[in-house]
Amino acid sequence: MTRKDIHLTNNQTPVQKIDEPFFKDLSIRLSIKREDLNDNEIQGNKWLKLKSNLEQAKQQGYKNLLTFGGCYSNHIYATAAAGKRFDFNTIGIIRGPEPKKLSPTLNFALQAGMQLHFINRLDYRNIHNAEIQKKLIKRFLPAYIIPEGGSNQLAIDSCADYAKTLPTDYDVISCACGTGGTLAGLIKGSDNSKKILGIPVLKGADFLFGEISNFINPGSSTNEVNNWTLNTDYHFGGYAKSSAELEDFIVEFYHTHGIKLEPVYTGKMMYALYDLIKKDYFKKDSRILAIHSGGMQGLDGFPELKKRLE
Ligand SMILES: *Cc1c(COP(=O)(O)O)cnc(C)c1O
Protein backbone atom coordinates (compact mmCIF):
# COMPACT_ATOMS: atom_id res chain seq x y z
CA MET A 1 0.00 0.00 0.00
CA THR A 2 1.45 3.37 -0.93
CA ARG A 3 0.14 6.01 1.33
CA LYS A 4 -0.85 9.36 -0.03
CA ASP A 5 1.28 12.32 0.85
CA ILE A 6 -0.02 14.10 3.89
CA HIS A 7 -0.86 17.56 2.71
CA LEU A 8 -3.82 19.71 1.77
CA THR A 9 -4.16 21.21 -1.67
CA ASN A 10 -5.59 24.46 -0.36
CA ASN A 11 -2.98 25.46 2.19
CA GLN A 12 -2.78 29.16 1.35
CA THR A 13 -5.66 30.81 3.15
CA PRO A 14 -6.38 34.54 3.01
CA VAL A 15 -6.27 37.23 5.67
CA GLN A 16 -9.40 39.36 5.42
CA LYS A 17 -9.90 42.81 6.89
CA ILE A 18 -13.05 43.31 8.97
CA ASP A 19 -14.43 46.82 8.72
CA GLU A 20 -16.83 48.31 11.24
CA PRO A 21 -17.43 52.03 11.79
CA PHE A 22 -16.72 51.76 15.52
CA PHE A 23 -13.31 50.19 14.89
CA LYS A 24 -12.30 53.33 13.01
CA ASP A 25 -13.48 55.58 15.81
CA LEU A 26 -11.34 53.63 18.26
CA SER A 27 -8.47 53.34 15.81
CA ILE A 28 -8.49 49.54 15.89
CA ARG A 29 -7.72 47.26 12.97
CA LEU A 30 -9.16 43.76 12.94
CA SER A 31 -8.41 41.05 10.41
CA ILE A 32 -9.28 37.38 10.26
CA LYS A 33 -7.08 34.54 9.04
CA ARG A 34 -9.38 32.15 7.24
CA GLU A 35 -8.27 28.70 8.32
CA ASP A 36 -11.88 27.65 7.83
CA LEU A 37 -10.98 27.64 4.14
CA ASN A 38 -8.03 25.24 4.35
CA ASP A 39 -10.25 22.19 3.87
CA ASN A 40 -13.92 21.23 4.01
CA GLU A 41 -13.31 18.25 6.25
CA ILE A 42 -9.90 18.30 7.93
CA GLN A 43 -10.55 21.89 8.76
CA GLY A 44 -8.98 24.77 10.61
CA ASN A 45 -6.76 24.12 13.60
CA LYS A 46 -7.72 20.44 13.55
CA TRP A 47 -5.63 20.07 10.39
CA LEU A 48 -2.77 22.03 11.95
CA LYS A 49 -2.76 19.69 14.94
CA LEU A 50 -3.29 16.43 13.03
CA LYS A 51 -0.77 17.02 10.28
CA SER A 52 2.42 16.24 12.17
CA ASN A 53 0.75 13.36 14.00
CA LEU A 54 -0.31 11.81 10.70
CA GLU A 55 3.25 12.17 9.43
CA GLN A 56 4.62 10.56 12.55
CA ALA A 57 2.08 7.70 12.42
CA LYS A 58 2.94 7.08 8.79
CA GLN A 59 6.66 7.16 9.47
CA GLN A 60 6.30 4.70 12.32
CA GLY A 61 4.29 2.36 10.14
CA TYR A 62 0.97 2.54 11.98
CA LYS A 63 -2.17 1.52 10.11
CA ASN A 64 -4.61 2.51 12.86
CA LEU A 65 -5.30 5.87 14.44
CA LEU A 66 -7.17 5.91 17.72
CA THR A 67 -8.56 9.01 19.34
CA PHE A 68 -11.20 10.34 21.72
CA GLY A 69 -14.04 12.84 21.68
CA GLY A 70 -17.68 13.75 22.20
CA CYS A 71 -20.62 13.34 19.82
CA TYR A 72 -20.10 16.73 18.16
CA SER A 73 -16.31 16.82 18.23
CA ASN A 74 -14.54 18.64 15.39
CA HIS A 75 -11.49 16.54 16.18
CA ILE A 76 -13.38 13.25 15.70
CA TYR A 77 -14.78 14.55 12.42
CA ALA A 78 -11.37 15.68 11.17
CA THR A 79 -9.61 12.48 12.25
CA ALA A 80 -12.20 10.32 10.49
CA ALA A 81 -11.79 12.37 7.31
CA ALA A 82 -8.01 12.27 7.56
CA GLY A 83 -8.07 8.49 7.96
CA LYS A 84 -10.11 8.14 4.82
CA ARG A 85 -8.00 10.55 2.81
CA PHE A 86 -4.58 9.35 3.92
CA ASP A 87 -5.32 5.63 4.27
CA PHE A 88 -5.47 4.97 7.98
CA ASN A 89 -8.08 2.93 9.81
CA THR A 90 -9.60 5.13 12.48
CA ILE A 91 -11.10 4.26 15.84
CA GLY A 92 -13.07 6.84 17.79
CA ILE A 93 -13.59 6.35 21.51
CA ILE A 94 -16.75 8.37 22.10
CA ARG A 95 -17.85 9.79 25.44
CA GLY A 96 -21.21 8.57 26.69
CA PRO A 97 -23.61 5.75 25.82
CA GLU A 98 -24.39 4.98 22.20
CA PRO A 99 -27.27 7.27 21.23
CA LYS A 100 -30.33 5.92 19.43
CA LYS A 101 -29.75 8.44 16.69
CA LEU A 102 -26.17 9.34 15.82
CA SER A 103 -25.21 13.01 15.73
CA PRO A 104 -24.38 14.43 12.28
CA THR A 105 -20.70 14.39 13.32
CA LEU A 106 -20.73 10.70 14.23
CA ASN A 107 -22.71 9.86 11.13
CA PHE A 108 -20.04 11.50 9.03
CA ALA A 109 -17.30 9.69 10.96
CA LEU A 110 -19.01 6.36 10.43
CA GLN A 111 -19.43 7.04 6.70
CA ALA A 112 -15.75 7.91 6.52
CA GLY A 113 -14.98 4.47 7.95
CA MET A 114 -14.31 5.31 11.58
CA GLN A 115 -15.01 2.52 14.02
CA LEU A 116 -16.98 4.04 16.90
CA HIS A 117 -16.68 2.75 20.41
CA PHE A 118 -18.85 4.29 23.13
CA ILE A 119 -17.73 4.35 26.74
CA ASN A 120 -19.50 5.67 29.80
CA ARG A 121 -18.72 9.13 31.08
CA LEU A 122 -17.02 7.94 34.22
CA ASP A 123 -14.52 5.75 32.38
CA TYR A 124 -14.09 8.50 29.82
CA ARG A 125 -13.16 10.94 32.54
CA ASN A 126 -10.37 8.60 33.61
CA ILE A 127 -9.19 7.86 30.11
CA HIS A 128 -6.06 9.96 30.51
CA ASN A 129 -5.01 7.54 33.26
CA ALA A 130 -2.51 5.23 31.50
CA GLU A 131 -3.65 2.04 33.27
CA ILE A 132 -7.33 2.55 32.60
CA GLN A 133 -6.58 3.59 29.07
CA LYS A 134 -4.62 0.39 28.47
CA LYS A 135 -7.51 -1.71 29.72
CA LEU A 136 -10.18 0.09 27.75
CA ILE A 137 -8.45 0.26 24.40
CA LYS A 138 -6.31 -2.88 24.46
CA ARG A 139 -8.37 -4.63 21.82
CA PHE A 140 -7.81 -1.81 19.32
CA LEU A 141 -4.03 -1.87 19.54
CA PRO A 142 -1.57 -1.43 17.93
CA ALA A 143 -2.73 2.06 17.07
CA TYR A 144 -1.22 5.49 16.98
CA ILE A 145 -2.97 7.27 19.82
CA ILE A 146 -3.96 10.91 19.52
CA PRO A 147 -5.33 12.57 22.67
CA GLU A 148 -8.74 14.22 22.90
CA GLY A 149 -8.81 17.41 20.88
CA GLY A 150 -5.54 16.39 19.23
CA SER A 151 -3.38 18.42 21.61
CA ASN A 152 -0.05 16.69 22.11
CA GLN A 153 3.44 18.11 21.84
CA LEU A 154 3.69 17.43 18.10
CA ALA A 155 0.44 19.30 17.57
CA ILE A 156 1.64 22.25 19.58
CA ASP A 157 4.90 22.43 17.68
CA SER A 158 2.96 22.27 14.45
CA CYS A 159 0.83 25.23 15.61
CA ALA A 160 4.06 27.03 16.55
CA ASP A 161 5.35 26.51 13.00
CA TYR A 162 2.04 27.82 11.74
CA ALA A 163 2.40 30.97 13.85
CA LYS A 164 5.67 31.70 12.03
CA THR A 165 3.80 31.76 8.72
CA LEU A 166 1.38 34.48 9.87
CA PRO A 167 1.81 38.07 8.66
CA THR A 168 3.91 40.07 11.11
CA ASP A 169 2.14 43.43 10.98
CA TYR A 170 -0.13 42.64 13.93
CA ASP A 171 0.09 43.44 17.65
CA VAL A 172 -2.47 40.95 18.95
CA ILE A 173 -3.26 37.40 17.80
CA SER A 174 -6.45 35.85 19.12
CA CYS A 175 -7.89 32.36 19.02
CA ALA A 176 -10.70 30.36 20.66
CA CYS A 177 -9.47 27.82 23.25
CA GLY A 178 -10.73 24.34 24.09
CA THR A 179 -7.74 22.38 25.36
CA GLY A 180 -5.51 25.43 24.80
CA GLY A 181 -3.14 23.46 22.58
CA THR A 182 -3.54 25.74 19.59
CA LEU A 183 -3.03 28.85 21.70
CA ALA A 184 0.09 27.31 23.26
CA GLY A 185 1.49 26.78 19.77
CA LEU A 186 0.65 30.34 18.75
CA ILE A 187 2.43 31.63 21.86
CA LYS A 188 5.43 29.39 21.28
CA GLY A 189 5.78 30.39 17.64
CA SER A 190 5.25 34.14 18.02
CA ASP A 191 7.90 36.64 18.98
CA ASN A 192 7.61 38.54 22.23
CA SER A 193 6.39 41.74 20.63
CA LYS A 194 3.04 40.07 19.96
CA LYS A 195 0.29 39.72 22.50
CA ILE A 196 -1.60 36.42 22.30
CA LEU A 197 -5.17 36.47 23.59
CA GLY A 198 -7.08 33.25 24.11
CA ILE A 199 -10.85 33.07 24.49
CA PRO A 200 -11.81 29.88 26.36
CA VAL A 201 -15.16 28.51 25.24
CA LEU A 202 -15.80 26.50 28.39
CA LYS A 203 -16.85 27.56 31.85
CA GLY A 204 -14.40 27.54 34.73
CA ALA A 205 -11.43 27.73 32.39
CA ASP A 206 -8.90 29.10 34.86
CA PHE A 207 -7.14 25.72 34.82
CA LEU A 208 -6.15 26.53 31.23
CA PHE A 209 -3.53 29.03 32.47
CA GLY A 210 -1.60 26.08 33.94
CA GLU A 211 -2.33 23.72 31.06
CA ILE A 212 -1.11 26.20 28.48
CA SER A 213 2.04 27.04 30.49
CA ASN A 214 2.71 23.33 30.64
CA PHE A 215 2.11 22.87 26.90
CA ILE A 216 4.58 25.67 26.14
CA ASN A 217 7.17 24.42 28.55
CA PRO A 218 6.49 20.80 29.56
CA GLY A 219 7.12 20.00 33.19
CA SER A 220 7.25 23.59 34.27
CA SER A 221 4.23 25.12 35.93
CA THR A 222 5.77 28.56 36.12
CA ASN A 223 4.84 30.89 33.38
CA GLU A 224 8.06 31.94 31.71
CA VAL A 225 6.54 33.73 28.77
CA ASN A 226 4.21 36.51 29.71
CA ASN A 227 3.03 37.88 26.40
CA TRP A 228 -0.23 35.98 26.56
CA THR A 229 -3.45 35.90 28.51
CA LEU A 230 -6.93 34.42 28.55
CA ASN A 231 -10.21 36.21 28.88
CA THR A 232 -12.56 33.73 30.52
CA ASP A 233 -15.72 35.87 30.35
CA TYR A 234 -17.09 34.62 27.03
CA HIS A 235 -18.12 31.00 27.63
CA PHE A 236 -21.88 31.77 27.31
CA GLY A 237 -22.72 29.25 30.01
CA GLY A 238 -20.30 26.50 29.02
CA TYR A 239 -18.95 24.32 26.27
CA ALA A 240 -21.30 24.19 23.23
CA LYS A 241 -23.80 26.40 25.09
CA SER A 242 -25.20 29.14 22.94
CA SER A 243 -27.58 32.07 23.36
CA ALA A 244 -29.90 34.19 21.25
CA GLU A 245 -27.47 37.07 21.60
CA LEU A 246 -24.53 35.00 20.36
CA GLU A 247 -26.53 33.59 17.46
CA ASP A 248 -27.84 37.02 16.45
CA PHE A 249 -24.25 38.24 16.47
CA ILE A 250 -23.17 35.36 14.21
CA VAL A 251 -26.02 36.05 11.76
CA GLU A 252 -25.28 39.79 11.71
CA PHE A 253 -21.56 39.12 11.23
CA TYR A 254 -22.35 36.85 8.30
CA HIS A 255 -24.66 39.38 6.67
CA THR A 256 -22.12 42.18 7.08
CA HIS A 257 -18.89 40.36 6.23
CA GLY A 258 -19.93 37.19 4.41
CA ILE A 259 -17.98 35.01 6.84
CA LYS A 260 -19.61 32.15 8.71
CA LEU A 261 -18.82 31.51 12.35
CA GLU A 262 -20.26 28.81 14.60
CA PRO A 263 -21.38 29.14 18.24
CA VAL A 264 -18.99 26.60 19.82
CA TYR A 265 -15.65 28.29 19.11
CA THR A 266 -15.23 31.01 16.52
CA GLY A 267 -18.51 32.80 17.26
CA LYS A 268 -17.53 33.19 20.91
CA MET A 269 -14.07 34.44 19.97
CA MET A 270 -15.36 37.04 17.54
CA TYR A 271 -18.13 38.15 19.90
CA ALA A 272 -15.46 38.57 22.59
CA LEU A 273 -13.22 40.64 20.32
CA TYR A 274 -16.09 42.95 19.36
CA ASP A 275 -17.09 43.36 22.98
CA LEU A 276 -13.54 43.95 24.18
CA ILE A 277 -12.96 46.52 21.44
CA LYS A 278 -16.13 48.32 22.56
CA LYS A 279 -14.93 48.22 26.15
CA ASP A 280 -11.63 49.81 25.17
CA TYR A 281 -9.66 46.74 26.23
CA PHE A 282 -7.12 47.15 23.44
CA LYS A 283 -4.59 49.95 23.17
CA LYS A 284 -5.36 52.60 20.59
CA ASP A 285 -3.97 51.70 17.15
CA SER A 286 -3.90 47.98 17.97
CA ARG A 287 -3.82 45.67 14.99
CA ILE A 288 -5.62 42.44 15.86
CA LEU A 289 -5.40 39.19 13.92
CA ALA A 290 -8.19 36.74 14.77
CA ILE A 291 -7.67 33.11 13.77
CA HIS A 292 -10.74 31.55 12.20
CA SER A 293 -10.01 28.07 13.47
CA GLY A 294 -12.67 26.35 11.34
CA GLY A 295 -15.08 23.89 12.92
CA MET A 296 -17.93 24.69 10.54
CA GLN A 297 -19.30 21.13 10.75
CA GLY A 298 -20.34 22.12 14.28
CA LEU A 299 -23.20 24.13 12.77
CA ASP A 300 -24.97 20.84 12.08
CA GLY A 301 -25.63 20.69 15.81
CA PHE A 302 -27.47 24.05 15.53
CA PRO A 303 -29.89 23.50 12.63
CA GLU A 304 -31.89 26.69 13.20
CA LEU A 305 -28.82 28.87 13.20
CA LYS A 306 -27.46 27.01 10.19
CA LYS A 307 -30.65 27.88 8.30
CA ARG A 308 -30.25 31.54 9.16
CA LEU A 309 -26.78 31.45 7.58
CA GLU A 310 -27.95 30.16 4.21
C1 LIG B 1 -10.90 22.40 18.63
C2 LIG B 1 -11.15 23.79 18.22
C3 LIG B 1 -10.62 24.88 18.91
C4 LIG B 1 -9.84 24.72 20.19
O1 LIG B 1 -8.54 24.26 19.97
P1 LIG B 1 -7.65 23.83 21.21
O2 LIG B 1 -6.32 23.59 20.60
O3 LIG B 1 -8.24 22.58 21.77
O4 LIG B 1 -7.67 24.93 22.19
C5 LIG B 1 -10.86 26.15 18.42
N1 LIG B 1 -11.62 26.35 17.33
C6 LIG B 1 -12.15 25.32 16.65
C7 LIG B 1 -13.00 25.62 15.48
C8 LIG B 1 -11.94 24.01 17.07
O5 LIG B 1 -12.50 23.01 16.38
Side-chain angles (χ1 to χ4, degrees):
M1 180 174 74
T2 49
R3 246 181 213 154
K4 295 182 194 93
D5 261 356
I6 293 165
H7 73 93
L8 299 182
T9 46
N10 191 21
N11 235 336
Q12 299 296 318
T13 57
V15 173
Q16 243 168 290
K17 191 155 184 274
I18 306 293
D19 280 317
E20 295 282 358
F22 76 97
F23 294 175
K24 264 205 202 85
D25 299 340
L26 295 165
S27 197
I28 295 285
R29 192 176 92 190
L30 175 66
S31 301
I32 185 166
K33 178 72 159 91
R34 299 290 307 276
E35 291 314 328
D36 55 320
L37 301 178
N38 66 356
D39 197 79
N40 275 338
E41 293 175 349
I42 320 172
Q43 198 180 73
N45 69 335
K46 295 303 179 279
W47 162 251
L48 297 175
K49 296 203 282 185
L50 274 174
K51 185 174 80 161
S52 41
N53 279 293
L54 298 172
E55 281 160 359
Q56 173 111 325
K58 178 178 163 182
Q59 215 170 38
Q60 296 179 345
Y62 281 99
K63 292 193 178 68
N64 302 332
L65 303 175
L66 183 147
T67 196
F68 311 88
C71 289
Y72 293 92
S73 162
N74 292 333
H75 170 66
I76 289 289
Y77 188 99
T79 305
K84 183 166 185 203
R85 196 164 323 162
F86 302 118
D87 300 319
F88 292 97
N89 304 315
T90 53
I91 301 134
I93 307 293
I94 310 299
R95 182 184 57 229
E98 180 165 4
K100 285 215 180 68
K101 188 169 180 291
L102 287 184
S103 65
T105 305
L106 293 184
N107 246 325
F108 172 89
L110 201 64
Q111 294 300 315
M114 183 177 260
Q115 193 182 330
L116 301 176
H117 181 69
F118 295 85
I119 66 171
N120 70 57
R121 284 165 200 276
L122 199 68
D123 284 342
Y124 191 91
R125 213 173 298 154
N126 292 320
I127 202 95
H128 57 274
N129 176 313
E131 280 308 301
I132 291 175
Q133 192 174 83
K134 222 183 274 165
K135 227 169 37 200
L136 284 170
I137 67 178
K138 202 167 62 192
R139 63 177 158 128
F140 301 113
L141 301 179
Y144 184 91
I145 298 173
I146 305 172
E148 180 174 34
S151 291
N152 56 13
Q153 209 54 49
L154 273 179
I156 285 147
D157 288 342
S158 162
C159 291
D161 290 342
Y162 167 74
K164 296 188 178 112
T165 69
L166 292 172
T168 54
D169 52 345
Y170 289 91
D171 308 298
V172 179
I173 298 172
S174 188
C175 185
C177 299
T179 64
T182 304
L183 198 82
L186 291 172
I187 297 162
K188 209 171 165 182
S190 301
D191 64 69
N192 249 318
S193 67
K194 304 265 181 296
K195 193 129 182 93
I196 319 297
L197 171 64
I199 308 296
V201 301
L202 38 110
K203 203 169 158 178
D206 279 339
F207 73 97
L208 278 180
F209 282 99
E211 293 273 305
I212 291 170
S213 301
N214 204 48
F215 278 142
I216 298 168
N217 202 348
S220 137
S221 54
T222 52
N223 187 1
E224 279 157 30
V225 271
N226 54 9
N227 62 331
W228 64 278
T229 194
L230 304 172
N231 189 310
T232 57
D233 294 339
Y234 296 95
H235 54 73
F236 287 86
Y239 182 75
K241 294 278 194 317
S242 182
S243 77
E245 197 183 355
L246 178 60
E247 295 188 9
D248 288 348
F249 172 81
I250 289 170
V251 171
E252 170 101 22
F253 188 85
Y254 176 61
H255 288 152
T256 314
H257 305 291
I259 299 170
K260 285 186 192 178
L261 306 169
E262 41 64 52
V264 184
Y265 292 104
T266 53
K268 289 182 182 176
M269 172 198 64
M270 194 53 80
Y271 183 101
L273 293 178
Y274 268 55
D275 198 48
L276 291 169
I277 291 170
K278 280 180 196 153
K279 289 178 172 157
D280 244 349
Y281 173 89
F282 298 103
K283 281 200 205 99
K284 197 169 171 310
D285 297 325
S286 287
R287 299 162 302 173
I288 305 164
L289 182 63
I291 309 296
H292 192 318
S293 43
M296 297 318 298
Q297 70 91 23
L299 271 180
D300 287 336
F302 300 84
E304 278 169 31
L305 176 61
K306 189 177 178 180
K307 246 202 186 129
R308 292 173 71 195
L309 298 176
E310 272 161 10

